Amino acid sequence: MNGNSFRLPARRLATVATATFLAAGPAVLGAAGSAHATSDQGRASAVVLRTGLDVALLNKTVNVPLAVSLNQVEAPASAEKTALSAQLDGVDGGKPFSVLAADVASAKSTVTATKAEGRTELAHARLHVPGLPLLSLIEVGQVTSKATCEAGRTPTASANLLGGVTVLGKKITLTAGGTTDVKAPGIGEVRLDLSKTQTTSRTAAATALRLKVSINPLKLNVAEVEGTLTLAEATCEAPAAATKPSPKPADVEPQGGPVEEAGLAETGGSSMTPYLAGGAVVLLVAGGGAVVLARRRG
């Protein structure tokens, strides 16, 4: 009676252990192949005006930087403002002065899963620098810039200046893609670069107008103004092109050839073979134990 009560649980335990071992094997193998996918997002930016000027004062030995921007945005965003003022200590008693006034001044940048784009527009604009409150540094009719980057396609960039251009009170004619120098006796000089564009395999940039300024106004306590100004700039970077997953090659069993994998018979084998073999060993051991106990009982 006692012998039967011990033999039956032993057989059941062996059977359960074998079944658990066989069931767990494929699950462990399946968990080893997981991976995380990543994606590269596009980028875009736009700015109507950016200044980087150094203002030297008459009655001081210090320089006052003027670094301001109008409607500078990064995707996804847009802005529209037609006036920009600034205030500098020591210039005209610290009163605010107009840097830019325009009828239209807008910047927009957008990004989707397949496309990034930045664009700007500036119309009937008048740009001033410290020390020249009544004389515009430059007046333009209309300037636009646009940069478009689409996944899998060549980026494009364009910048245009339409209408008349006046620099330090002089009407001038600009050369597209070239440089123009304007000098005003007793005031200073301005170098203008028109319609600068640049593209790579995934990026684009367009600047409608860039000015290098060197002014000696000698007014409102301002001795010199030097630096650069950028009008209507747009940039973009294309999103990464989507890649299609490579098709998984179908498993083909060898026909009649010897099996190269060690430990498998020529009749073939699979990933379940080690688990079947292990289960067989467990059952064999359990059966042998049962036979021994049966013989002792007899």
Side-chain angles (χ1 to χ4, degrees), residues 261-281:
E261 188 174 351
L264 297 180
E266 292 186 0
T267 54
S270 68
S271 60
M272 290 295 297
T273 301
Y275 299 103
L276 294 176
V281 171

Side-chain angles (χ1 to χ4, degrees), residues 34-115:
S34 61
H36 296 284
T38 59
S39 60
D40 190 358
Q41 301 297 322
R43 298 178 180 86
S45 67
V47 60
V48 167
L49 169 68
R50 182 185 297 112
T51 71
L53 299 175
D54 192 25
V55 182
L57 305 182
L58 280 175
N59 58 355
K60 295 183 179 180
T61 59
V62 297
N63 294 332
V64 182
L66 175 60
V68 296
S69 61
L70 176 67
N71 295 358
Q72 181 170 347
V73 295
E74 294 183 0
S78 62
E80 186 170 353
K81 186 178 180 182
T82 58
L84 173 66
S85 62
Q87 181 175 333
L88 290 178
D89 293 336
V91 177
D92 195 16
K95 298 178 182 179
F97 62 92
S98 173
V99 179
L100 177 71
D103 292 346
V104 176
S106 65
K108 186 177 182 181
S109 57
T110 57
V111 170
T112 66
T114 60
K115 184 179 179 181

Side-chain angles (χ1 to χ4, degrees), residues 98-173:
S98 173
V99 179
L100 177 71
D103 292 346
V104 176
S106 65
K108 186 177 182 181
S109 57
T110 57
V111 170
T112 66
T114 60
K115 184 179 179 181
E117 185 175 82
R119 62 171 64 195
T120 63
E121 182 180 4
L122 187 63
H124 300 102
R126 299 164 299 281
L127 182 63
H128 292 267
V129 294
L132 294 177
L134 302 179
L135 180 63
S136 298
L137 177 68
I138 185 173
E139 297 181 12
V140 295
Q142 183 180 11
V143 290
T144 62
S145 64
K146 182 179 179 181
T148 304
C149 300
E150 194 166 354
R153 296 188 178 183
T154 302
T156 60
S158 62
N160 297 292
L161 192 152
L162 306 174
V165 178
T166 301
V167 178
L168 296 176
K170 295 182 178 182
K171 290 186 177 180
I172 63 171
T173 300

